[in-house]
Amino acid sequence: MNKRIQKLRETLHTKRADGIFIESPTNRRYVSGFTGTSGALLITEEEAYFITDFRYVEQAQDQCDGFHIIEQTSSIYNEVGILVKKSGVSRLLFEKEHTTYAVYELLQKYIQAELIPSAGLVENIRLYKEASEIEILKEAAQIADNAFEHIIKKLKPG
């Protein structure tokens, strides 16, 4: 199972919620691995859903380990509402710092659950790096060091 999904499920218990809705592109990518531009996540205690339109279904199947891929056939918020109802979610966290009022109104319209604004859910998980992330950071630092050493040899006064 995706460790990031598991950490979000632990947050659900802490916040006494049944699910979390994630739509911000940065957090969506961090949690799911999806690099496309359209989609949303619904993570419940039992399931993890990635909802996207027909253009990205194949990409999502390749990139979103641990997620059920849902091809939206209507508004993404309507699809989330259907999944919330199907999953029995009664208290749904959403990213208040990434949700406009217009989107909040759509969530209220389509989702029959208590909407709970929450801040920094994914961001707090992103603070702690996994071993694979640390290796990538080390490699990036080495590349930067090598580039700096190369450039320093080319610099001359004036």
Side-chain angles (χ1 to χ4, degrees), residues 56-116:
Y56 296 103
V57 169
E58 187 176 329
Q59 180 181 356
Q61 289 169 341
D62 290 340
Q63 293 180 337
C64 301
D65 184 41
F67 285 85
H68 294 287
I69 309 305
I70 306 295
E71 181 179 341
Q72 71 182 81
T73 56
S74 63
S75 157
I76 201 160
Y77 307 107
N78 184 52
E79 298 288 344
V80 171
I82 292 167
L83 292 169
V84 162
K85 186 174 183 178
K86 174 184 161 190
S87 300
V89 172
S90 61
R91 293 174 46 90
L92 182 68
L93 298 170
F94 69 94
E95 305 171 289
K96 74 177 187 179
E97 66 274 287
H98 302 291
T99 303
T100 64
Y101 188 72
V103 168
Y104 177 74
E105 287 181 320
L106 289 170
L107 293 174
Q108 285 185 311
K109 176 180 177 182
Y110 290 109
I111 295 174
Q112 296 176 356
E114 180 183 355
L115 296 171
I116 304 165

Side-chain angles (χ1 to χ4, degrees), residues 1 7 21 24 28 70 86 142 157:
M1 175 194 300
K7 288 187 183 284
F21 174 67
S24 88
R28 179 183 63 220
I70 306 295
K86 174 184 161 190
Q142 186 60 54

